[in-house]
Amino acid sequence: MGFHSEISKRKQRRHVICMASDFFFPNTGGVEEHIYNLSQCLIKRGHKVVVITHSYGDRVGIRYLTAGLKVYYLPITVFYSQCVLPTMICNVFLLRYILIRESIEIVHGHSAFSVLGHEVSIIGKLLGLKTVFTDHSLFGFADTSAVLTNKYLQMCLTECDHCICVSHTGKENTVLRAKVKAHKVSVIPNAVDTYTFTPDPTKRNPDVITIVIVSRLVYRKGVDLMAAVITEMCPRYPNLRFIVGGDGPKMWLLQELRERKGYQHCVSLLGSLKHSEVRNVLVKGDIFLNTSLTEAYCMAIVEAASCGLKVVSTKVGGIPEVLPDSMIYLTEPTVESLVKGVENAMRDITQGNILCPYECNKMIRKMYHWMDVTKRTEIIYDSIHLNKNKPLGMQLKNYLSCGVWPFLLVISLMYLLLQLAERLYKRKNIDIAKDLKLN
C-alpha cells in the first residue's frame, strides 16, 4: 500500500524549474533547441519552467514564448562566443532576486561552455536549491583550453546534485574530465520533433544527387574535411550537387573554394538558417553529410534521417550510438574514408537500395521523442528532491577537493553577498512585490 501511495505522490509532484544557459533563442543550435523543447514538454506535464539567459541584441527583459514559457534576457554583456564574463559575483543580487521571485526549486544548467548556467547553479546551491546539469559536448584532455575548461567544470559540478549526458560516450567523458561520480550521471539522449521534420521526396531533383550539409562552420565541425571532400568529388561526379547551410568563422574557406575553383554550379552556400528553415533545406537532399571532429550527440543527423536522407558521418564521440546501420554510413574522420562513405551512399541511391523516407520518419519517431526525454528527466528531478542541503562548511570542504584554493574565496564571497542581499532585500519584500504585480 505504501509503495503505491509513493508512486502516486511522484506522479502528482509539481516542480518549479529554472533552465539556465548562455545559449537560447533567438540563437540557434542543439542546446537552444533542447532547452526549448524540454521546457515545453515539462509545462505540458504540469510543471512551471523559467529560462534565464543573457540579452541578445535588443532583446532584453522578460519575454513569454509558447505555452507561457517565461524567459529572462538579463542585461549582461557577452564576453566571448555568446558567453558572459565569468565574474561569479557581479550578478549575485539579480539572480537571487529572480530565483526567489519565481519560487524556484530546481536549477537546471545546460552546456559546459555556459558561464551563466554554472553561475546560476552555484548561487542556487548556496540558496539551498537542488541543481541539475546537462552536458552537451565532448572535450579533450591535452590542449590548454581543454585543461582549463575541464578544471572549471570540475569546480562548478562539485556540489551539483545530478548530471545528465546525451550519450554514453559523453558520460564517460564527463566522469573522467570533471571527476563526477558515475552514479550521479545519467544518460538521456536528445530528441527530434518528427512531426516537423517530415519527408517530401517531391522536392528532390531526380536528375542529380544532392548532398546537404547543415552545420555551424567552425573547426570542430570538420569544415576543412568538408572542403576537401567537395574538392575531391565535384570533378569526378558531374551530377553531384552540394547544399551547405550554416555560418561561422570558417565560411571563408567554402567561399574561396567555390569562387576560385569554379564550383558555383555544384556548391550552394545558404548562410545562416533559422531552425524553421532547416527542414525545407533537408528535403531537397538525397544524402546528409556530417564531418564533425568531435560530437557528443549530433541532432543534425537525426533530423536528416527523420526527413528520409541517407546519412554519412564521421564515427566520433557518441555518433555511433545515435542511428542504426541501415540509416547511416560511419566513416573515419579522413578525406578518403568520407569520400568512400559518400560513394557507398550514392551507389545505394542509384540502385534503389534505400529505406522508404516515410518508414525512416516512423522509426525515428519510435526511437527519439521529447515527451520520453521529459519523463526520464522528471525521474531525476524526483530523485534529487529528497537530497538534504549541506551546510556551507561541508560545501567548502567539497570545493577544496578540486585543488583550486582561491575558488573557496569566490564561493565565500558569493555567500557573504547573498547574506547581505538577505538583509537589504528580504524575501518577504520580494514576495509582496510579486503579489502586487499579480494583482
Side-chain angles (χ1 to χ4, degrees):
M1 187 70 175
F3 175 77
H4 292 293
S5 63
E6 181 63 28
I7 293 296
S8 63
K9 287 180 183 178
R10 181 183 295 180
K11 290 181 179 179
Q12 295 171 1
R13 184 175 294 148
R14 178 180 182 269
H15 299 292
V16 184
I17 305 139
C18 171
M19 300 288 179
S21 180
D22 284 292
F23 310 107
F24 194 64
F25 295 146
N27 196 38
T28 57
V31 178
E32 294 84 349
E33 185 186 350
H34 182 103
I35 296 173
Y36 176 80
N37 286 309
L38 179 59
S39 299
Q40 291 295 324
C41 290
L42 285 168
I43 291 172
K44 288 181 181 178
R45 298 274 295 172
H47 305 285
K48 176 184 175 182
V49 184
V50 173
V51 178
I52 294 180
T53 187
H54 59 71
S55 60
Y56 280 91
D58 58 353
R59 186 172 294 197
V60 185
I62 298 174
R63 298 288 190 277
Y64 287 90
L65 304 185
T66 307
L69 176 61
K70 190 175 185 179
V71 185
Y72 284 87
Y73 290 96
L74 304 184
I76 305 174
T77 304
V78 172
F79 173 62
Y80 173 74
S81 188
Q82 293 298 336
C83 290
V84 301
L85 185 68
T87 62
M88 305 301 290
I89 60 174
C90 291
N91 307 307
V92 168
F93 283 52
L94 178 58
L95 294 174
R96 171 190 174 271
Y97 179 86
I98 295 172
L99 294 176
I100 295 175
R101 185 178 189 273
E102 298 295 340
S103 303
I104 299 299
E105 300 172 356
I106 299 172
V107 176
H108 192 159
H110 290 265
S111 181
F113 291 107
S114 174
V115 173
L116 185 59
H118 294 310
E119 192 172 326
V120 178
S121 296
I122 292 174
I123 293 172
K125 181 52 68 175
L126 291 174
L127 289 173
L129 308 180
K130 304 299 184 291
T131 56
V132 179
F133 171 76
T134 296
D135 197 355
H136 297 263
S137 305
L138 295 178
F139 289 89
F141 299 87
D143 57 289
T144 305
S145 63
V147 171
L148 294 175
T149 303
N150 293 344
K151 179 56 68 173
Y152 177 68
L153 186 64
Q154 180 188 352
M155 293 187 296
C156 293
L157 296 186
T158 298
E159 281 299 299
C160 186
D161 289 288
H162 205 88
C163 295
I164 300 172
C165 293
V166 293
S167 66
H168 292 279
T169 303
K171 176 180 177 178
E172 293 176 6
N173 185 260
T174 300
V175 169
L176 288 172
R177 64 191 172 91
K179 294 181 172 59
V180 182
K181 294 179 180 178
H183 72 271
K184 292 177 62 177
V185 184
S186 299
V187 177
I188 303 177
N190 273 322
V192 63
D193 184 1
T194 53
Y195 295 96
T196 299
F197 288 89
T198 54
D200 188 359
T202 62
K203 299 295 183 181
R204 298 176 181 176
N205 186 346
D207 300 324
V208 297
I209 293 179
T210 304
I211 298 177
V212 175
I213 303 169
V214 177
S215 168
R216 287 194 298 274
L217 302 182
V218 295
Y219 172 75
R220 76 178 188 88
K221 292 293 184 178
V223 181
D224 301 273
L225 282 176
M226 186 192 307
V229 170
I230 293 173
T231 304
E232 180 80 17
M233 300 199 72
C234 281
R236 291 164 53 184
Y237 299 98
N239 66 329
L240 198 60
R241 300 291 182 269
F242 286 87
I243 299 177
V244 182
D247 201 355
K250 285 276 189 177
M251 171 64 90
W252 67 269
L253 184 62
L254 297 180
Q255 290 174 335
E256 185 179 67
L257 170 73
R258 186 172 179 269
E259 300 300 327
R260 289 195 177 183
K261 299 202 173 181
Y263 291 158
Q264 292 93 338
H265 67 288
C266 59
V267 179
S268 300
L269 301 179
L270 305 182
S272 181
L273 296 173
K274 296 180 181 177
H275 191 257
S276 58
E277 300 171 339
V278 173
R279 183 260 175 188
N280 295 332
V281 175
L282 290 175
V283 294
K284 296 178 181 178
D286 302 285
I287 300 170
F288 183 84
L289 178 62
N290 174 55
T291 58
S292 293
L293 301 177
T294 175
E295 200 80 63
Y297 177 102
C298 188
M299 286 280 287
I301 64 174
V302 183
E303 293 170 349
S306 180
C307 291
L309 280 73
K310 189 73 174 184
V311 178
V312 178
S313 175
T314 50
K315 54 178 179 182
V316 296
I319 289 179
E321 304 174 28
V322 178
L323 294 174
D325 294 339
S326 59
M327 293 184 177
I328 186 170
Y329 277 108
L330 294 172
T331 71
E332 298 295 333
T334 62
V335 176
E336 295 78 11
S337 184
L338 281 165
V339 169
K340 184 177 179 181
V342 172
E343 288 175 339
N344 289 336
M346 292 170 61
R347 184 183 67 248
D348 288 345
I349 291 170
T350 54
Q351 295 177 356
N353 186 23
I354 56 174
L355 294 173
C356 171
Y358 298 100
E359 287 298 321
C360 291
N361 184 268
K362 290 179 181 178
M363 291 172 64
I364 296 295
R365 190 173 302 171
K366 293 178 181 178
M367 287 188 286
Y368 301 110
H369 194 277
W370 277 114
M371 195 55 74
D372 177 59
V373 172
T374 304
K375 291 176 181 178
R376 294 167 70 175
T377 306
E378 278 181 329
I379 295 173
I380 292 173
Y381 291 162
D382 292 342
S383 66
I384 67 172
H385 188 76
L386 303 174
N387 290 1
K388 294 182 179 179
N389 295 323
K390 298 176 184 176
L392 178 64
M394 185 62 70
Q395 291 189 40
L396 292 176
K397 183 179 179 181
N398 291 337
Y399 283 119
L400 186 61
S401 64
C402 299
V404 185
W405 289 24
F407 194 64
L408 298 181
L409 299 177
V410 176
I411 298 297
S412 301
L413 181 56
M414 293 175 73
Y415 179 79
L416 292 175
L417 288 174
L418 288 171
Q419 294 303 308
L420 176 62
E422 191 68 37
R423 289 182 174 274
L424 296 178
Y425 308 103
K426 297 184 182 296
R427 291 175 183 248
K428 63 179 182 180
N429 294 335
I430 295 176
D431 293 334
I432 292 171
K434 180 172 67 173
D435 293 338
L436 289 174
K437 186 172 182 62
L438 292 174
N439 293 331

